[in-house]
Amino acid sequence: MTTTPAPRPDGRPRKQIHLGAHFPGVNNTTVWSDPRSRSHIDFESFEYLARRAEAARFDFFFLAEGLRLREHKGRIHDLDVVGRPDTLPVLASLAAVTDRLGLAGTINTTFNEPYELARQFATLDLLSGGRAAWNLVTSSDAFTGANFRRGGFLDYSERYERAAEIVDVARQLWDSWSDDAIDADPETGAFLREGAVQRVDHDGKHFDVHGTFTTPRGPQGHPVLFQAGDSGEGREFAAATADVVFSLHGTFEDGQVFYRDVKDRLAAYGRTEDSLKILPATTVVLGDTAEDAAEEAALIRRQQVSGQTAIAYLEQVWGRDLTAYDPEGPLPDVEPDVDNASLTRGKVRHVKDPGPVVAAWREKAAAKGWSIRDLVIEVTTRNQFVGTAQQVADDIDRYVQEDASDGFILVPHLTPEGLDPFFDSVVPLLQERGSFRTEYEGTTLREHLGLELPGVGGTQAADLEGARA
């Protein structure tokens, strides 16, 4: 039974935690080789995680996607999980086996058209009864783009410009039908109410769209929009456009800084702090004691970063073949090849000049006595909660109540059962303190997240440049 929620440290009412279950995608940290791991392709795996998340009263199921398999030295990187059914059919299928759980899919704005995306997500929203969400991502990667367009890609500077225009057009299309457009009166023979469906005429830099949208307005008005991007441009785009930010930050203090920075940008677009939720990705490792959990977390990281994986990761930074080096030995003594960015395809080098990164890594590895594998484990470990169920519940609640996040998207290392311990032991503790729902109070994802229903014409600024003006 839920207890009366205690106030936050500053005396304000206790915030409700928002939680999403992440089904890992390609190039993720899933340990597919673990004997407990099951298929990443069979529908029963998607269904299992979705049903468990709904039983735990999670806000949504989140499906990642990659548009091209990563290659390393001309071969598919076989340490990745590879192969995945298309996102939207999976989510549509999950709509039939769940009732309240939100269904969020990652779809690229660089290589798709606004009309088809608006129609697909409006359809998912209708089929699911108002539970659709679209995670907007961009790409400036020519390797991925080679599957989609001649020339392969857009310049980096155009990524968010095109994404903003896609959202602008999609919202025009969603808003072109009024909520009560369908009359279906057999006596008058009128199916649509007069004037309830408007023609859309859009002429922009990237798209010209003219005509009448085919799909009625869904129960949410607009599907919930997720966005991931930590750059200044990405944060501004989120403040102007998104309902949810899928963020990455490593510490509680970093989370508070990111949270405050993005929330402070909202007023410029006529938005309130409650209109945007910040949900970092995280992992959870539980144990009977803190020591047991720490030991298990270290074991998982060793599974995720094999010696072969560690060498492959370093090759992406060095731009050189490093297979002659022992992953349990010291860092390579050769300098990076700054001109060779194509050793690993589909993996964007995180800096244009790897020299300073390599120098910093060498200094840190020497001071700590780290091997190549130790270093890669350290620099690739993201935010995670490690401890007993009570410790993890305390930590998650602290992040939310002290404004380092509005909740979390949980990424399991095992598919599809990796979040079961969290569902079974942490969720009840969060419910007991009044920080997480015991029952769904609404039927749509917007209701779960506490987001207002957008009015026809849109209540948020969609076009980034237009919003700035």
Side-chain angles (χ1 to χ4, degrees), residues 66-378:
L67 292 178
R68 186 165 178 177
L69 299 179
R70 183 166 61 150
E71 295 177 13
H72 189 69
K73 298 179 182 176
R75 296 178 60 247
I76 292 174
H77 189 42
D78 56 8
L79 294 178
D80 290 338
V81 171
V82 298
R84 168 62 60 79
D86 185 64
T87 293
L88 288 167
V90 171
L91 295 182
S93 299
L94 290 177
V97 297
T98 56
D99 296 313
R100 299 292 184 89
L101 187 70
L103 302 168
T106 302
I107 300 293
N108 196 292
T109 60
T110 306
F111 304 118
N112 288 287
E113 296 293 311
Y115 185 92
E116 63 184 356
L117 290 178
R119 189 166 185 249
Q120 288 164 341
F121 277 100
T123 299
L124 179 62
D125 206 48
L126 287 168
L127 292 176
S128 65
R131 296 185 282 136
W134 172 13
N135 180 39
L136 302 150
V137 294
T138 65
S139 176
S140 59
D141 181 1
F143 175 72
T144 301
N147 279 335
F148 291 92
R149 63 158 61 93
R150 187 175 299 164
F153 69 106
L154 288 176
D155 288 338
Y156 184 90
S157 61
E158 291 187 278
R159 291 192 309 162
Y160 284 112
E161 180 183 79
R162 189 181 199 274
E165 191 174 340
I166 275 195
V167 175
D168 183 21
V169 175
R171 283 186 169 146
Q172 290 181 57
L173 294 166
W174 293 328
D175 288 345
S176 66
W177 285 64
S178 66
D179 291 325
D180 58 352
I182 298 177
D183 190 15
D185 186 344
E187 294 186 6
T188 64
F191 188 80
L192 294 176
R193 213 170 37 78
E194 185 69 27
V197 179
Q198 303 297 318
R199 175 184 172 89
V200 171
D201 287 291
H202 173 90
D203 292 291
K205 177 178 178 179
H206 296 275
F207 309 106
D208 293 325
V209 178
H210 298 275
T212 303
F213 193 45
T214 60
T215 311
R217 188 170 161 88
Q220 298 188 108
H222 302 166
V224 173
L225 297 184
F226 285 60
Q227 189 266 339
D230 193 44
S231 66
E233 189 174 17
R235 297 182 190 198
E236 201 69 24
F237 180 75
T241 305
D243 299 305
V244 176
V245 174
F246 180 24
S247 67
L248 294 172
H249 44 253
T251 67
F252 175 80
E253 291 75 18
D254 289 343
Q256 285 185 315
V257 171
F258 180 89
Y259 187 98
R260 191 71 270 140
D261 177 75
V262 174
K263 296 276 187 171
D264 284 347
R265 296 171 189 255
L266 294 169
Y269 302 100
R271 303 180 63 188
T272 65
E273 289 198 10
D274 290 339
S275 68
L276 177 67
K277 307 301 180 185
I278 296 177
L279 306 178
T282 193
T283 60
V284 172
V285 182
L286 299 172
D288 292 334
T289 66
E291 293 74 21
D292 290 341
E295 183 177 340
E296 177 68 11
L299 175 62
I300 291 169
R301 290 301 289 136
R302 302 292 286 184
Q303 287 181 296
Q304 291 168 331
V305 183
S306 67
Q308 182 183 348
T309 297
I311 292 296
Y313 184 85
L314 247 62
E315 288 177 335
Q316 296 161 20
V317 179
W318 258 258
R320 295 181 181 277
D321 186 318
L322 301 176
T323 50
Y325 289 85
D326 180 1
E328 305 300 340
L331 269 62
D333 51 6
V334 295
E335 297 307 310
D337 180 351
V338 298
D339 296 322
N340 184 9
S342 60
L343 184 70
T344 294
R345 305 301 305 277
K347 178 72 175 181
V348 180
R349 290 178 74 164
H350 59 292
V351 289
K352 292 182 179 179
D353 180 7
V357 173
V358 169
W361 285 359
R362 283 174 173 159
E363 182 178 352
K364 183 177 290 188
K368 301 284 189 177
W370 286 339
S371 67
I372 290 174
R373 190 179 182 193
D374 293 333
L375 175 87
V376 173
I377 288 173
E378 178 68 19

